[in-house]
Amino acid sequence: MHVTPLVWGITLAVTVAFFVYEFFAHVRKAHEPSIGESARWSAFYIGLALLFGLVIGLVWGWDFGGEYYAGYLTEKALSIDNLFVFLIVMTGFAVPRIYQQKVLMIGIVIALILRGGFIAIGAALIENLSWIFYVFGALLLFLAYRQAFAHGDGNPADGRIMRFVRRHLAVTDEYDHDRLTVVRDGRRFVTPMLLTIITIGFVDLIFAVDSIPAIYGLTEQAYIVFTANAFALMGLRQLYFLIGGLLERLIYLSQGLAVILGFIGVKLVLHALHVNELPFINGGRGVEWAPEIPIWFSLLFIGATILVATVASLLRTRTLRREDAQP
């Protein structure tokens, strides 16, 4: 897949333009989006992402189109899990609903910048070090285990990082609109809004560690990795307000994502064995019995896993509600 610098430049410019438009059209003036507004823009961005996959298929071939769709689906699922953590952060810091858009917007931009850096590093490693697939595969298997058994009971507003920040910075107890800092009695204080954004930034960094190796397990094309991430993050702010109540009902989402990460981890290890160059494994030659999992199977597996996790979550929460309603 050959992507010219001009195509890269146009892609980056359009991505920046979308986020600039988002800020001035929706975020600059503090308000809580309605369900209708959130639904329209969520549908627009999802439709745009699906349409872009057709463009990749028509221009570069449907093998790459399939890799994009599998990558986008994986990144969207991981982003929804990210939204759940954002919800915990917002609750922990008691961010007023009308200011949550600004926090989400800044958090999403930070996420895209961090992922861009990880994408560039990952591309360089894959090009020069074939054994990095072993590392990525092992990392994803570890993250899958952690995802499956993580409880997420901690309060980010009272974590170690926040305790460190509060010890070294003067912090106000209340919000002052959406300002990050305020001056009182000649002294500058940071507001809880800034602390929330700092926490979101660290959350994004942690999720980038999951996200980038996962999609590199589906494609080696940096352009596909970047565009799948960009489209997965576009519209995430609107999706937060659209499915905020639904997030708490997706009780099996973590387990579903664990299955996906584990599957991609196994896929990476098999690929590493297939292209092996490590001298202490099979004499530095590729392992013939290690199969290459086709992208169509990956796409079906990821989609089916997300569907099963969602349906099982909704059925289980409905059952629990009925049981709680009984006298």
Side-chain angles (χ1 to χ4, degrees), residues 215-237:
I215 192 170
Y216 268 124
L218 300 168
T219 178
E220 297 180 27
Q221 304 298 323
Y223 185 76
I224 292 178
V225 175
F226 175 78
T227 52
N229 269 275
F231 277 112
L233 292 173
M234 286 182 184
L236 199 60
R237 177 180 56 81

PDB file of all heavy atoms in Angstrom, residues 215-237:
ATOM      1  N   ILE A 215      -4.186  -2.763  16.912  1.00  0.00           N
ATOM      2  CA  ILE A 215      -4.493  -2.552  15.491  1.00  0.00           C
ATOM      3  C   ILE A 215      -3.324  -2.957  14.604  1.00  0.00           C
ATOM      4  O   ILE A 215      -3.516  -3.366  13.460  1.00  0.00           O
ATOM      5  CB  ILE A 215      -4.917  -1.088  15.232  1.00  0.00           C
ATOM      6  CG1 ILE A 215      -5.523  -0.967  13.828  1.00  0.00           C
ATOM      7  CG2 ILE A 215      -3.766  -0.134  15.422  1.00  0.00           C
ATOM      8  CD1 ILE A 215      -6.172   0.369  13.571  1.00  0.00           C
ATOM      9  N   TYR A 216      -2.086  -2.887  15.133  1.00  0.00           N
ATOM     10  CA  TYR A 216      -0.956  -3.381  14.351  1.00  0.00           C
ATOM     11  C   TYR A 216      -1.008  -4.901  14.230  1.00  0.00           C
ATOM     12  O   TYR A 216      -0.306  -5.476  13.390  1.00  0.00           O
ATOM     13  CB  TYR A 216       0.373  -2.946  14.967  1.00  0.00           C
ATOM     14  CG  TYR A 216       0.892  -1.639  14.399  1.00  0.00           C
ATOM     15  CD1 TYR A 216       1.179  -0.553  15.220  1.00  0.00           C
ATOM     16  CD2 TYR A 216       1.103  -1.485  13.027  1.00  0.00           C
ATOM     17  CE1 TYR A 216       1.641   0.643  14.699  1.00  0.00           C
ATOM     18  CE2 TYR A 216       1.564  -0.295  12.498  1.00  0.00           C
ATOM     19  CZ  TYR A 216       1.836   0.765  13.338  1.00  0.00           C
ATOM     20  OH  TYR A 216       2.299   1.936  12.820  1.00  0.00           O
ATOM     21  N   GLY A 217      -1.821  -5.541  15.042  1.00  0.00           N
ATOM     22  CA  GLY A 217      -2.047  -6.974  14.880  1.00  0.00           C
ATOM     23  C   GLY A 217      -2.988  -7.275  13.733  1.00  0.00           C
ATOM     24  O   GLY A 217      -3.113  -8.435  13.316  1.00  0.00           O
ATOM     25  N   LEU A 218      -3.656  -6.248  13.204  1.00  0.00           N
ATOM     26  CA  LEU A 218      -4.600  -6.425  12.111  1.00  0.00           C
ATOM     27  C   LEU A 218      -4.072  -5.880  10.790  1.00  0.00           C
ATOM     28  O   LEU A 218      -4.513  -6.293   9.724  1.00  0.00           O
ATOM     29  CB  LEU A 218      -5.929  -5.734  12.448  1.00  0.00           C
ATOM     30  CG  LEU A 218      -6.637  -6.258  13.705  1.00  0.00           C
ATOM     31  CD1 LEU A 218      -7.766  -5.324  14.120  1.00  0.00           C
ATOM     32  CD2 LEU A 218      -7.174  -7.664  13.455  1.00  0.00           C
ATOM     33  N   THR A 219      -3.164  -4.921  10.858  1.00  0.00           N
ATOM     34  CA  THR A 219      -2.578  -4.336   9.657  1.00  0.00           C
ATOM     35  C   THR A 219      -1.203  -3.779   9.986  1.00  0.00           C
ATOM     36  O   THR A 219      -0.961  -3.325  11.107  1.00  0.00           O
ATOM     37  CB  THR A 219      -3.474  -3.213   9.088  1.00  0.00           C
ATOM     38  OG1 THR A 219      -2.834  -2.639   7.930  1.00  0.00           O
ATOM     39  CG2 THR A 219      -3.699  -2.113  10.117  1.00  0.00           C
ATOM     40  N   GLU A 220      -0.326  -3.807   9.007  1.00  0.00           N
ATOM     41  CA  GLU A 220       1.007  -3.220   9.175  1.00  0.00           C
ATOM     42  C   GLU A 220       1.094  -1.847   8.521  1.00  0.00           C
ATOM     43  O   GLU A 220       2.169  -1.240   8.504  1.00  0.00           O
ATOM     44  CB  GLU A 220       2.073  -4.151   8.590  1.00  0.00           C
ATOM     45  CG  GLU A 220       2.167  -5.493   9.292  1.00  0.00           C
ATOM     46  CD  GLU A 220       3.231  -6.384   8.686  1.00  0.00           C
ATOM     47  OE1 GLU A 220       4.208  -5.843   8.120  1.00  0.00           O
ATOM     48  OE2 GLU A 220       3.097  -7.622   8.778  1.00  0.00           O
ATOM     49  N   GLN A 221      -0.023  -1.363   7.983  1.00  0.00           N
ATOM     50  CA  GLN A 221      -0.035  -0.094   7.266  1.00  0.00           C
ATOM     51  C   GLN A 221      -0.292   1.060   8.232  1.00  0.00           C
ATOM     52  O   GLN A 221      -1.376   1.162   8.817  1.00  0.00           O
ATOM     53  CB  GLN A 221      -1.110  -0.106   6.171  1.00  0.00           C
ATOM     54  CG  GLN A 221      -0.966  -1.244   5.181  1.00  0.00           C
ATOM     55  CD  GLN A 221       0.345  -1.174   4.415  1.00  0.00           C
ATOM     56  OE1 GLN A 221       0.827  -0.098   4.066  1.00  0.00           O
ATOM     57  NE2 GLN A 221       0.933  -2.343   4.155  1.00  0.00           N
ATOM     58  N   ALA A 222       0.697   1.940   8.388  1.00  0.00           N
ATOM     59  CA  ALA A 222       0.568   3.058   9.322  1.00  0.00           C
ATOM     60  C   ALA A 222      -0.595   3.972   8.947  1.00  0.00           C
ATOM     61  O   ALA A 222      -1.267   4.532   9.823  1.00  0.00           O
ATOM     62  CB  ALA A 222       1.870   3.857   9.368  1.00  0.00           C
ATOM     63  N   TYR A 223      -0.852   4.112   7.645  1.00  0.00           N
ATOM     64  CA  TYR A 223      -1.951   4.985   7.205  1.00  0.00           C
ATOM     65  C   TYR A 223      -3.294   4.438   7.671  1.00  0.00           C
ATOM     66  O   TYR A 223      -4.158   5.186   8.150  1.00  0.00           O
ATOM     67  CB  TYR A 223      -1.938   5.115   5.681  1.00  0.00           C
ATOM     68  CG  TYR A 223      -2.959   6.095   5.151  1.00  0.00           C
ATOM     69  CD1 TYR A 223      -2.752   7.469   5.260  1.00  0.00           C
ATOM     70  CD2 TYR A 223      -4.131   5.655   4.539  1.00  0.00           C
ATOM     71  CE1 TYR A 223      -3.687   8.370   4.780  1.00  0.00           C
ATOM     72  CE2 TYR A 223      -5.061   6.547   4.055  1.00  0.00           C
ATOM     73  CZ  TYR A 223      -4.835   7.908   4.181  1.00  0.00           C
ATOM     74  OH  TYR A 223      -5.775   8.807   3.709  1.00  0.00           O
ATOM     75  N   ILE A 224      -3.479   3.133   7.563  1.00  0.00           N
ATOM     76  CA  ILE A 224      -4.721   2.512   8.031  1.00  0.00           C
ATOM     77  C   ILE A 224      -4.830   2.629   9.544  1.00  0.00           C
ATOM     78  O   ILE A 224      -5.901   2.911  10.088  1.00  0.00           O
ATOM     79  CB  ILE A 224      -4.791   1.041   7.584  1.00  0.00           C
ATOM     80  CG1 ILE A 224      -4.941   0.964   6.062  1.00  0.00           C
ATOM     81  CG2 ILE A 224      -5.946   0.314   8.269  1.00  0.00           C
ATOM     82  CD1 ILE A 224      -4.970  -0.452   5.512  1.00  0.00           C
ATOM     83  N   VAL A 225      -3.712   2.424  10.238  1.00  0.00           N
ATOM     84  CA  VAL A 225      -3.719   2.526  11.697  1.00  0.00           C
ATOM     85  C   VAL A 225      -4.147   3.926  12.121  1.00  0.00           C
ATOM     86  O   VAL A 225      -4.995   4.102  13.009  1.00  0.00           O
ATOM     87  CB  VAL A 225      -2.330   2.206  12.272  1.00  0.00           C
ATOM     88  CG1 VAL A 225      -2.313   2.424  13.787  1.00  0.00           C
ATOM     89  CG2 VAL A 225      -1.943   0.759  11.964  1.00  0.00           C
ATOM     90  N   PHE A 226      -3.581   4.953  11.478  1.00  0.00           N
ATOM     91  CA  PHE A 226      -3.906   6.326  11.858  1.00  0.00           C
ATOM     92  C   PHE A 226      -5.359   6.674  11.527  1.00  0.00           C
ATOM     93  O   PHE A 226      -6.076   7.225  12.372  1.00  0.00           O
ATOM     94  CB  PHE A 226      -2.985   7.320  11.152  1.00  0.00           C
ATOM     95  CG  PHE A 226      -3.345   8.761  11.414  1.00  0.00           C
ATOM     96  CD1 PHE A 226      -2.990   9.364  12.614  1.00  0.00           C
ATOM     97  CD2 PHE A 226      -4.074   9.497  10.490  1.00  0.00           C
ATOM     98  CE1 PHE A 226      -3.345  10.683  12.880  1.00  0.00           C
ATOM     99  CE2 PHE A 226      -4.434  10.807  10.746  1.00  0.00           C
ATOM    100  CZ  PHE A 226      -4.066  11.399  11.942  1.00  0.00           C
ATOM    101  N   THR A 227      -5.801   6.387  10.317  1.00  0.00           N
ATOM    102  CA  THR A 227      -7.163   6.772   9.923  1.00  0.00           C
ATOM    103  C   THR A 227      -8.217   6.017  10.730  1.00  0.00           C
ATOM    104  O   THR A 227      -9.247   6.589  11.091  1.00  0.00           O
ATOM    105  CB  THR A 227      -7.384   6.542   8.417  1.00  0.00           C
ATOM    106  OG1 THR A 227      -7.012   5.198   8.062  1.00  0.00           O
ATOM    107  CG2 THR A 227      -6.557   7.524   7.600  1.00  0.00           C
ATOM    108  N   ALA A 228      -7.959   4.730  11.032  1.00  0.00           N
ATOM    109  CA  ALA A 228      -8.910   3.974  11.856  1.00  0.00           C
ATOM    110  C   ALA A 228      -9.013   4.596  13.246  1.00  0.00           C
ATOM    111  O   ALA A 228     -10.112   4.715  13.807  1.00  0.00           O
ATOM    112  CB  ALA A 228      -8.479   2.512  11.950  1.00  0.00           C
ATOM    113  N   ASN A 229      -7.882   5.013  13.802  1.00  0.00           N
ATOM    114  CA  ASN A 229      -7.890   5.672  15.108  1.00  0.00           C
ATOM    115  C   ASN A 229      -8.594   7.020  15.043  1.00  0.00           C
ATOM    116  O   ASN A 229      -9.388   7.363  15.925  1.00  0.00           O
ATOM    117  CB  ASN A 229      -6.460   5.854  15.615  1.00  0.00           C
ATOM    118  CG  ASN A 229      -5.983   4.694  16.451  1.00  0.00           C
ATOM    119  OD1 ASN A 229      -6.235   4.632  17.644  1.00  0.00           O
ATOM    120  ND2 ASN A 229      -5.308   3.746  15.815  1.00  0.00           N
ATOM    121  N   ALA A 230      -8.295   7.801  14.018  1.00  0.00           N
ATOM    122  CA  ALA A 230      -8.891   9.134  13.894  1.00  0.00           C
ATOM    123  C   ALA A 230     -10.411   9.039  13.777  1.00  0.00           C
ATOM    124  O   ALA A 230     -11.145   9.762  14.466  1.00  0.00           O
ATOM    125  CB  ALA A 230      -8.308   9.861  12.681  1.00  0.00           C
ATOM    126  N   PHE A 231     -10.895   8.123  12.932  1.00  0.00           N
ATOM    127  CA  PHE A 231     -12.347   7.988  12.763  1.00  0.00           C
ATOM    128  C   PHE A 231     -12.998   7.404  14.009  1.00  0.00           C
ATOM    129  O   PHE A 231     -14.149   7.729  14.322  1.00  0.00           O
ATOM    130  CB  PHE A 231     -12.661   7.133  11.536  1.00  0.00           C
ATOM    131  CG  PHE A 231     -12.636   7.895  10.248  1.00  0.00           C
ATOM    132  CD1 PHE A 231     -11.651   7.665   9.305  1.00  0.00           C
ATOM    133  CD2 PHE A 231     -13.599   8.856   9.983  1.00  0.00           C
ATOM    134  CE1 PHE A 231     -11.624   8.385   8.114  1.00  0.00           C
ATOM    135  CE2 PHE A 231     -13.589   9.580   8.799  1.00  0.00           C
ATOM    136  CZ  PHE A 231     -12.589   9.340   7.868  1.00  0.00           C
ATOM    137  N   ALA A 232     -12.286   6.539  14.723  1.00  0.00           N
ATOM    138  CA  ALA A 232     -12.844   5.990  15.961  1.00  0.00           C
ATOM    139  C   ALA A 232     -13.007   7.078  17.016  1.00  0.00           C
ATOM    140  O   ALA A 232     -13.953   7.043  17.821  1.00  0.00           O
ATOM    141  CB  ALA A 232     -11.955   4.871  16.493  1.00  0.00           C
ATOM    142  N   LEU A 233     -12.096   8.058  17.023  1.00  0.00           N
ATOM    143  CA  LEU A 233     -12.171   9.141  18.006  1.00  0.00           C
ATOM    144  C   LEU A 233     -13.131  10.241  17.591  1.00  0.00           C
ATOM    145  O   LEU A 233     -13.697  10.933  18.440  1.00  0.00           O
ATOM    146  CB  LEU A 233     -10.765   9.728  18.227  1.00  0.00           C
ATOM    147  CG  LEU A 233      -9.764   8.798  18.923  1.00  0.00           C
ATOM    148  CD1 LEU A 233      -8.375   9.414  18.928  1.00  0.00           C
ATOM    149  CD2 LEU A 233     -10.210   8.491  20.344  1.00  0.00           C
ATOM    150  N   MET A 234     -13.320  10.438  16.275  1.00  0.00           N
ATOM    151  CA  MET A 234     -14.286  11.433  15.807  1.00  0.00           C
ATOM    152  C   MET A 234     -15.690  11.016  16.236  1.00  0.00           C
ATOM    153  O   MET A 234     -16.087   9.869  16.091  1.00  0.00           O
ATOM    154  CB  MET A 234     -14.246  11.553  14.280  1.00  0.00           C
ATOM    155  CG  MET A 234     -13.043  12.279  13.738  1.00  0.00           C
ATOM    156  SD  MET A 234     -13.116  12.407  11.935  1.00  0.00           S
ATOM    157  CE  MET A 234     -11.548  13.179  11.587  1.00  0.00           C
ATOM    158  N   GLY A 235     -16.435  11.923  16.741  1.00  0.00           N
ATOM    159  CA  GLY A 235     -17.793  11.619  17.169  1.00  0.00           C
ATOM    160  C   GLY A 235     -17.866  10.945  18.524  1.00  0.00           C
ATOM    161  O   GLY A 235     -18.963  10.634  19.001  1.00  0.00           O
ATOM    162  N   LEU A 236     -16.703  10.708  19.155  1.00  0.00           N
ATOM    163  CA  LEU A 236     -16.705  10.051  20.462  1.00  0.00           C
ATOM    164  C   LEU A 236     -17.356  10.937  21.517  1.00  0.00           C
ATOM    165  O   LEU A 236     -18.020  10.444  22.438  1.00  0.00           O
ATOM    166  CB  LEU A 236     -15.267   9.708  20.871  1.00  0.00           C
ATOM    167  CG  LEU A 236     -15.078   8.656  21.962  1.00  0.00           C
ATOM    168  CD1 LEU A 236     -15.679   7.327  21.538  1.00  0.00           C
ATOM    169  CD2 LEU A 236     -13.596   8.487  22.289  1.00  0.00           C
ATOM    170  N   ARG A 237     -17.175  12.246  21.369  1.00  0.00           N
ATOM    171  CA  ARG A 237     -17.783  13.186  22.316  1.00  0.00           C
ATOM    172  C   ARG A 237     -19.299  13.092  22.260  1.00  0.00           C
ATOM    173  O   ARG A 237     -19.979  13.015  23.294  1.00  0.00           O
ATOM    174  CB  ARG A 237     -17.324  14.616  21.987  1.00  0.00           C
ATOM    175  CG  ARG A 237     -17.949  15.694  22.848  1.00  0.00           C
ATOM    176  CD  ARG A 237     -17.409  17.055  22.425  1.00  0.00           C
ATOM    177  NE  ARG A 237     -17.642  17.303  21.013  1.00  0.00           N
ATOM    178  CZ  ARG A 237     -18.809  17.740  20.512  1.00  0.00           C
ATOM    179  NH1 ARG A 237     -19.834  17.943  21.328  1.00  0.00           N
ATOM    180  NH2 ARG A 237     -18.949  17.958  19.234  1.00  0.00           N
TER     181      ARG A 237
END
